[in-house]
Amino acid sequence: MIRNRKLFYSSLSALALASVIAVAGIARHEASPVGLAHAADAPPPAAEVDVAAVISRTITEWQSYSGRLEAVDRVDVRPQVSGTIVAVQFKDGALVKKGDVLFIIDPRPYAAEVDRATAQVAAAEARASYATTDAARADRLIADNAIAKRDYEEKQNAAKEAVAGVKAAKAALETAQVNLGYTKVAAPVAGRVSRAELTVGNVVTVGPNAPLLTTLVSVSPIYASFEVDEQTYLQYLGRDRNTKVPVALGLANENGYSRKGVVTSVDNRLDTSSGTIRVRASIENADGALVPGLYARVKVGGGDAHPAVLIDDAAVGTDQAKKFVLVVDDKSHVQYREVQLGGLSDGLRVVTAGLKPGERIVVNGLQRVRPNDPVKVKAVNMIDAAKSAA
């Protein structure tokens, strides 16, 4: 039995030695120059990237700017006659029409002044009638030398003064009527009224220190004011002023541009310190959702519609001062291509040079590949890729 046990252990030792020799041989083979050469020749696995075809579309180019909304008409409503406020006839923030009564100032003193002026007109007309008749009588008497020349001239002068007195009395009556009308403080323009700064019972006065009653701003249209750079002015706005330059407007909580308008005013000088010029566009605001002071994103369009090459902005890489894309060739290898870029159009970047419609470029996975690398192509739509990136 002892001899059999020795033979068993000897067999195990031989098998272990053979295993060690085999492993060492494999290791020597892999570590040899021939094995390393085979490993280096093995191609790297192809990275999977999203690839889209470059598209072409007829567009009008736009330039984007930031601005603020402004009311076309803004009025500080102040009293034009003194008195006590007896009524406030609007709700804070309400929409009012031109001519709607906002405040009523006690009209009784002014109504009494109208009555007094009316009486003065009647008296003046009576004096003028008598003086005119007396002057006509003097005309007949002077022909027969039945009246002194001095008396005749006095009667003629009295008639003229009486006629002038009628005009003065009528002017005083008109002034009294105007003041009576001012007791009803009406909206000078249609728009949205602010809150009532003074309420019933307050006494107001006129003059430089007249108190503010409320403010009123027009609603539609509304202005979007912004500043554009010199190049945009020269390219789009510095041509025929009769040409309507389109604009699109978006609010701070919007991704796109929900409202359209046109440029209505360009300032008469360029600010040399900033290199910009002030521009104002008119935007329709029939629903009243836009209010003065809101931040606005404005893009200005110009030039004729023309065909353009468009790509997803995410497909563009930066190489120092250069812009590039990776083009996928027929053998599914990526190639470096320098491009020149324009503005954005509906979420896509305009390429002015370097690409042709139909060429395939990497739109997702740019960081995973280098020029001449093979790729595993996953075809996607350029527009859908841009929307997904946005």
Side-chain angles (χ1 to χ4, degrees):
M1 179 174 291
I2 294 173
R3 183 181 179 183
N4 291 338
R5 187 180 294 115
K6 289 181 178 181
L7 291 174
F8 175 72
Y9 286 133
S10 297
S11 300
L12 288 177
S13 299
L15 289 173
L17 180 60
S19 299
V20 171
I21 292 172
V23 171
I26 293 173
R28 285 196 302 272
H29 174 73
E30 290 182 349
S32 68
V34 176
L36 292 175
H38 284 301
D41 292 339
E48 182 175 349
V49 293
D50 293 344
V51 175
V54 177
I55 64 175
S56 178
R57 178 188 296 170
T58 300
I59 66 167
T60 299
E61 293 195 31
W62 300 82
Q63 297 292 332
S64 298
Y65 299 94
S66 298
R68 292 284 176 183
L69 297 181
E70 297 177 355
V72 174
D73 296 311
R74 183 186 185 281
V75 181
D76 289 341
V77 180
R78 300 180 187 273
Q80 292 178 283
V81 292
S82 301
T84 303
I85 297 175
V86 295
V88 178
Q89 296 192 319
F90 68 93
K91 293 182 178 179
D92 293 353
L95 289 172
V96 297
K97 298 178 181 179
K98 182 178 180 180
D100 285 354
V101 176
L102 306 179
F103 295 86
I104 296 178
I105 297 172
D106 189 358
R108 292 174 297 176
Y110 299 96
E113 183 64 21
V114 169
D115 292 340
R116 188 181 69 83
T118 301
Q120 288 181 339
V121 168
E125 288 176 342
R127 287 192 297 269
S129 177
Y130 175 79
T132 302
T133 303
D134 199 24
R137 186 182 303 112
D139 286 336
R140 294 192 299 270
L141 294 174
I142 196 65
D144 298 331
N145 290 323
I147 188 173
K149 185 69 174 178
R150 179 184 180 85
D151 293 340
Y152 170 79
E153 291 176 351
E154 288 179 350
K155 293 182 183 298
Q156 295 296 323
N157 188 60
K160 293 177 182 179
E161 287 183 352
V163 172
V166 171
K167 291 182 179 180
K170 288 183 176 179
L173 173 61
E174 185 176 355
T175 300
Q177 291 172 335
V178 169
N179 288 335
L180 178 61
Y182 284 156
T183 61
K184 293 182 177 180
V185 182
V189 296
R192 189 180 300 278
V193 70
S194 181
R195 65 184 182 183
E197 300 294 341
L198 294 175
T199 54
V200 174
N202 284 278
V203 178
V204 296
T205 58
V206 296
N209 297 322
L212 178 67
L213 298 178
T214 188
T215 58
L216 179 64
V217 294
S218 60
V219 174
S220 183
I222 194 170
Y223 286 145
S225 294
F226 54 100
E227 295 186 351
V228 305
D229 60 273
E230 185 173 350
Q231 292 298 323
T232 299
Y233 171 77
L234 294 174
Q235 186 175 0
Y236 299 148
L237 305 174
R239 299 171 297 177
D240 183 6
R241 291 298 181 96
N242 294 324
T243 301
K244 292 185 177 180
V245 179
V247 299
L249 181 140
L251 299 178
N253 65 338
E254 298 175 338
N255 292 325
Y257 297 83
S258 60
R259 298 172 187 263
K260 308 296 181 183
V262 294
V263 172
T264 56
S265 172
V266 180
D267 205 357
N268 59 357
R269 62 179 297 273
L270 186 82
D271 187 344
T272 55
S273 62
S274 62
T276 60
I277 189 169
R278 292 184 299 176
V279 179
R280 191 165 65 184
S282 178
I283 309 294
E284 290 300 322
N285 185 32
D287 58 358
L290 304 179
V291 297
L294 285 179
Y295 168 80
R297 295 176 296 106
V298 184
K299 63 177 183 178
V300 180
D304 299 328
H306 62 278
V309 174
L310 302 172
I311 63 173
D312 178 10
D313 211 18
V316 180
T318 302
D319 182 10
Q320 295 182 348
K322 299 178 180 179
K323 300 294 184 179
F324 71 92
V325 296
L326 294 180
V327 180
V328 180
D329 60 21
D330 295 338
K331 296 181 181 180
S332 295
H333 285 70
V334 294
Q335 304 296 333
Y336 179 95
R337 182 81 60 83
E338 185 179 344
V339 293
Q340 295 180 10
L341 305 179
L344 286 172
S345 176
D346 294 332
L348 295 174
R349 178 65 65 180
V350 177
V351 179
T352 58
L355 283 177
K356 296 179 180 179
E359 289 187 299
R360 300 184 303 164
I361 63 172
V362 177
V363 296
N364 186 21
L366 198 70
Q367 69 280 2
R368 298 198 297 268
V369 293
R370 293 178 298 176
N372 299 318
D373 280 356
V375 292
K376 184 178 180 181
V377 174
K378 179 183 177 182
V380 297
N381 182 274
M382 186 67 75
I383 297 176
D384 293 340
K387 291 181 179 178
S388 177

